[in-house]
Amino acid sequence: MNTQEHINFRRIAEAIDYIQANFRDQPNLDEVAEQVHLSPFHFQRLFTEWAGVSPKKFLQYISIAHARDLLKDGQATLSEATYQTGLSGTGRLHDLFVNIEGMTPAEYKNGGKNLTINYSYADSLFGNILVASTPKGICYLAFADDPALAFSELESKFPNATYHQRLDLIQQNALFIFTHDWTRLDQIKLHLKGTDFQLKVWESLIKIPAGRLSTYGQIASEINKPTASRAVGTAIGDNPVAYLIPCHRVIQSTGKFGQYHWGSSRKTAMIGWEVAQTTAG
């Protein structure tokens, strides 16, 4: 599992943590490079290859001021923002390609006794992942820094399902989202266990374009539950499919990125990377 891509991401994540913790001191390139045990030249090249921008530019993208600007630009409804982003850009990726189908009670009855689930591990720009699927679609995707723990969390959701460690075509198609060649991506179908409220929240998240951000309150308004920000936050925290359902694009109204089930530094990296990609595009 320790591919070079994964090692590179861990170094980037460590650098992001250091920059955020020491932001007031404005650490220079040499200081940050030393923290990740690389020469300044190598670190600059590695970071730029990974993010598409320099560390200095990336720092701008993950600042609270920039996040506030993105939120201000996103005052339109999510559906309006989606169309403003344009059909040809990467911004509408999720809206165009990801479709959610809720599981029926019979499918998850008795802890998923009637479900057969395939699962496999893969690498991504943001670290190792565990992806799982039923015959109808992806039912789980999590960042798997600890593969055994990640599988244990999956198993806890469907304790009586039948599991096979097997990479299938449904998973392969979904994993294309982590590549730059989205022309190979067919519609990704998600097959999820959730309440009607949770499914509405998750469907709303899919409409947030890449490189844009939303808040818990904006999501609550989008689903016509303007006083349900706290419940929306709980539903977002229960999201079973990382990245494909982009809960990382929801932040606090103050501009702070806040916590993330799979690590706050990973959330920061994902937001900064997406802004860099859409800005560069």
Side-chain angles (χ1 to χ4, degrees):
M1 301 295 289
N2 290 322
T3 65
Q4 190 60 49
E5 191 172 66
H6 178 61
I7 294 171
N8 288 348
F9 170 73
R10 293 312 311 162
R11 281 176 168 162
I12 298 301
E14 187 178 345
I16 290 171
D17 283 343
Y18 182 78
I19 289 171
Q20 289 186 311
N22 298 276
F23 178 77
R24 293 184 184 278
D25 297 328
Q26 288 292 291
N28 60 33
L29 180 68
D30 289 1
E31 291 176 74
V32 181
E34 183 178 357
Q35 289 298 311
V36 295
H37 311 293
L38 293 172
S39 69
F41 173 78
H42 189 189
F43 173 65
Q44 174 93 0
R45 186 179 67 180
L46 173 66
F47 198 103
T48 304
E49 286 176 355
W50 181 85
V53 294
S54 68
K56 184 176 181 179
K57 192 70 174 178
F58 191 88
L59 179 59
Q60 174 192 327
Y61 290 155
I62 62 174
S63 71
I64 289 179
H66 189 71
R68 284 174 176 164
D69 288 341
L70 289 176
L71 290 175
K72 194 179 300 180
D73 291 342
Q75 289 300 310
T77 66
L78 295 182
S79 55
E80 289 172 344
T82 295
Y83 286 108
Q84 290 169 4
T85 304
L87 291 172
S88 60
T90 60
R92 289 203 60 203
L93 178 66
H94 290 80
D95 189 36
L96 289 171
F97 287 106
V98 181
N99 180 262
I100 295 177
E101 176 182 338
M103 288 186 182
T104 65
E107 287 173 321
Y108 59 79
K109 184 179 179 181
N110 298 325
K113 185 177 180 180
N114 299 318
L115 286 176
T116 297
I117 296 176
N118 293 337
Y119 71 96
S120 61
Y121 297 93
D123 297 306
S124 80
L125 280 170
F126 310 107
N128 295 329
I129 56 176
L130 167 65
V131 58
S133 58
T134 72
K136 290 187 177 181
I138 299 296
C139 64
Y140 188 77
L141 192 153
F143 291 102
D145 296 322
D146 182 331
L149 178 60
F151 178 73
S152 178
E153 290 184 357
L154 165 63
E155 200 172 30
S156 70
K157 294 181 179 297
F158 306 103
N160 296 321
T162 300
Y163 290 94
H164 301 288
Q165 186 168 355
R166 178 185 303 152
L167 176 64
D168 58 31
L169 291 176
I170 291 174
Q171 296 168 29
Q172 282 185 314
N173 179 54
L175 292 172
F176 283 138
I177 205 167
F178 291 108
T179 74
H180 295 288
D181 184 11
W182 291 324
T183 60
R184 301 176 63 187
L185 190 69
D186 295 325
Q187 187 177 71
I188 298 171
K189 294 184 178 180
L190 306 183
H191 188 213
L192 304 181
K193 174 187 175 183
T195 65
D196 289 342
F197 181 81
Q198 286 175 320
L199 293 172
K200 284 181 181 178
V201 171
W202 299 339
E203 286 171 348
S204 187
L205 298 181
I206 291 171
K207 297 177 184 177
I208 306 172
R212 302 289 285 272
L213 300 173
S214 188
T215 67
Y216 301 100
Q218 288 173 349
I219 298 295
S221 296
E222 189 70 22
I223 64 172
N224 297 316
K225 299 286 186 181
T227 62
S229 295
R230 182 168 296 181
V232 163
T234 299
I236 289 173
D238 290 336
N239 170 27
V241 181
Y243 199 77
L244 295 177
I245 297 178
C247 57
H248 60 279
R249 296 178 191 158
V250 182
I251 67 172
Q252 299 173 15
S253 58
T254 60
K256 292 183 178 180
F257 289 173
Q259 296 302 308
Y260 184 57
H261 181 78
W262 294 285
S264 57
S265 60
R266 180 173 276 119
K267 179 176 183 175
T268 302
M270 292 162 75
I271 289 172
W273 183 86
E274 288 184 342
V275 174
Q277 300 307 303
T278 54
T279 301

